[in-house]
Amino acid sequence: MMECMHYYQSPLGNILMASNGNALTGLWFEGQKYFCENLCNTYEFKKLPVFEQTDHWLDLYFDGKEPDFIPPLYLNATPFRRAVWDILLTIPYGCTMTYGEIAKQLARQKGTGKMSAQAVGGAVGHNPISLIIPCHRVIGANGNLTGYAGGIDKKIQLLTIEKVDMSSLYIPKKGTAL
């Protein structure tokens, strides 16, 4: 299967997008953890409507506006990861949610007593469509800014763009292990 690729120049660095020709299958900050994970070896750079829509979404976002649409997405993942990513899509612009809150919501959906926040963290970390599926809005317990594949600095910048009140969040100092 041939995948299509496209670069977007963001204020926070290059963003690479991938598509199956119809829907967005990946969106990563260049060099982030799990960069281009799950891509096939055959791809070409090509203009596609989904890339134009995603460029528009990103233009709005980086201008500090909340996009009122989501480009078509295709997620090839386990049901668990899909369920986590579906919850991420419900986190409102300018808001945050903890890994534990996501785990509780999943447990309620599945009718189980408990769900692992660590398992949720693994699914959040492997989100293939950064920004649009807003994994940067997920924080650790007690407001810890932790676990963003693009790096904590980018997470802080993204939350700042969304005007999140970060006065109660714990921002680790450079070189501090979380």
Side-chain angles (χ1 to χ4, degrees), residues 42-59:
T42 309
Y43 61 89
E44 65 178 326
F45 284 87
K46 188 176 183 180
K47 278 194 153 209
L48 294 173
V50 70
F51 291 148
E52 290 173 13
Q53 291 170 6
T54 306
D55 283 352
H56 180 59
W57 191 100
L58 292 167
D59 288 343

Side-chain angles (χ1 to χ4, degrees), residues 151-170:
I152 296 299
D153 289 346
K154 279 195 178 68
K155 184 172 193 157
I156 291 168
Q157 291 172 304
L158 295 170
L159 293 175
T160 299
I161 288 169
E162 295 184 24
K163 296 178 179 53
V164 170
D165 177 6
M166 297 199 301
S167 60
S168 64
L169 301 180
Y170 171 71

Side-chain angles (χ1 to χ4, degrees), residues 30-50:
E30 198 169 55
Q32 80 175 47
K33 194 173 185 180
Y34 311 117
F35 181 67
C36 296
E37 184 178 65
N38 299 328
L39 288 184
C40 66
N41 294 328
T42 309
Y43 61 89
E44 65 178 326
F45 284 87
K46 188 176 183 180
K47 278 194 153 209
L48 294 173
V50 70

Side-chain angles (χ1 to χ4, degrees), residues 7-128:
Y7 270 108
Y8 176 87
Q9 306 292 319
S10 90
L12 305 183
N14 288 336
I15 292 176
L16 180 66
M17 295 176 223
S19 172
N20 60 9
N22 298 311
L24 198 63
T25 59
L27 188 146
W28 309 267
F29 282 104
E30 198 169 55
Q32 80 175 47
K33 194 173 185 180
Y34 311 117
F35 181 67
C36 296
E37 184 178 65
N38 299 328
L39 288 184
C40 66
N41 294 328
T42 309
Y43 61 89
E44 65 178 326
F45 284 87
K46 188 176 183 180
K47 278 194 153 209
L48 294 173
V50 70
F51 291 148
E52 290 173 13
Q53 291 170 6
T54 306
D55 283 352
H56 180 59
W57 191 100
L58 292 167
D59 288 343
L60 291 168
Y61 182 86
F62 286 114
D63 281 343
K65 299 173 185 145
E66 179 181 0
D68 62 355
F69 68 97
I70 294 177
L73 307 178
Y74 176 79
L75 298 165
N76 185 16
T78 65
F80 177 76
R81 284 186 177 178
R82 284 292 310 258
V84 170
W85 300 338
D86 285 344
I87 291 172
L88 296 184
L89 285 166
T90 70
I91 304 172
Y93 179 93
C95 297
T96 60
M97 182 181 277
T98 67
Y99 295 97
E101 289 170 328
I102 294 170
K104 285 178 187 167
Q105 191 170 332
L106 271 174
R108 278 193 306 273
Q109 286 176 2
K110 302 224 179 272
T112 61
K114 207 170 183 190
M115 184 68 65
S116 163
Q118 283 183 312
V120 166
V124 170
H126 284 84
N127 167 19

